[in-house]
Amino acid sequence: MSITWNDSVPIYRQLHQHVVAMILDGALNEGDPLPSVRQVAADFQINPLTVSKAYQELVDEQLVEKRRGLGMFVIEGAREALLKSERERFLREEWPVLFARLERLGLDLKTLMREAHADKDQANKEDQS
């Protein structure tokens, strides 16, 4: 787990978002344990209460569960629940702003897809050389 802290957002929120990203990316799967509070606190030199607060939010959101004496574990269905909520949030909050910017710049989906594929092809060529 590596994180670069941003001074404008509380550390517990950043840690929370990092764990969410790990679940979405498949780095943490259903049934996987989260690193212990003590380990995360030591690794990042942060207060264990900060880690506990981030983990408690994940419990409150029903993404992880506490197992007495064992630690915290990603619950079944966490990734699917996150995908659903993150997609809804993207469409509600981020997409309208992004769409408005695309229109202002005169970009359409066809152009964006062409550019994305060109960038991907270029990256593949660089990887092969």
Side-chain angles (χ1 to χ4, degrees):
M1 203 188 295
S2 80
I3 303 174
T4 303
W5 304 118
N6 174 344
D7 290 339
S8 64
V9 178
I11 290 175
Y12 81 92
R13 291 294 306 149
Q14 293 176 66
L15 182 58
H16 170 275
Q17 283 306 113
H18 185 72
V19 174
V20 165
M22 290 177 70
I23 294 170
L24 286 170
D25 294 342
L28 283 173
N29 296 305
E30 295 174 354
D32 284 353
L34 270 58
S36 74
V37 168
R38 287 182 184 163
Q39 186 64 51
V40 173
D43 287 350
F44 296 112
Q45 298 180 345
I46 58 177
N47 191 314
L49 293 175
T50 300
V51 180
S52 293
K53 188 171 183 177
Y55 280 13
Q56 185 58 50
E57 280 197 352
L58 295 164
V59 170
D60 294 345
E61 294 169 358
Q62 299 179 347
L63 299 172
V64 301
E65 65 183 354
K66 294 178 187 177
R67 295 185 189 162
R68 189 177 186 126
L70 298 174
M72 303 273 202
F73 292 81
V74 179
I75 66 166
E76 188 174 326
R79 185 171 188 278
E80 286 304 314
L82 277 171
L83 281 172
K84 182 180 181 206
S85 67
E86 288 295 308
R87 286 174 179 153
E88 289 171 358
R89 187 185 63 75
F90 173 80
L91 290 172
R92 185 180 61 252
E93 297 174 13
E94 295 177 43
W95 176 245
V97 174
L98 182 59
F99 184 73
R101 173 127 194 224
L102 292 171
E103 281 191 321
R104 276 194 306 277
L105 296 174
L107 293 170
D108 59 22
L109 187 57
K110 190 175 188 178
T111 303
L112 290 173
M113 294 304 291
R114 185 175 57 244
E115 289 296 319
H117 288 295
D119 289 345
K120 186 177 179 182
D121 292 343
Q122 182 63 34
N124 287 338
K125 286 178 187 176
E126 290 172 3
D127 287 344
Q128 293 173 358
S129 33

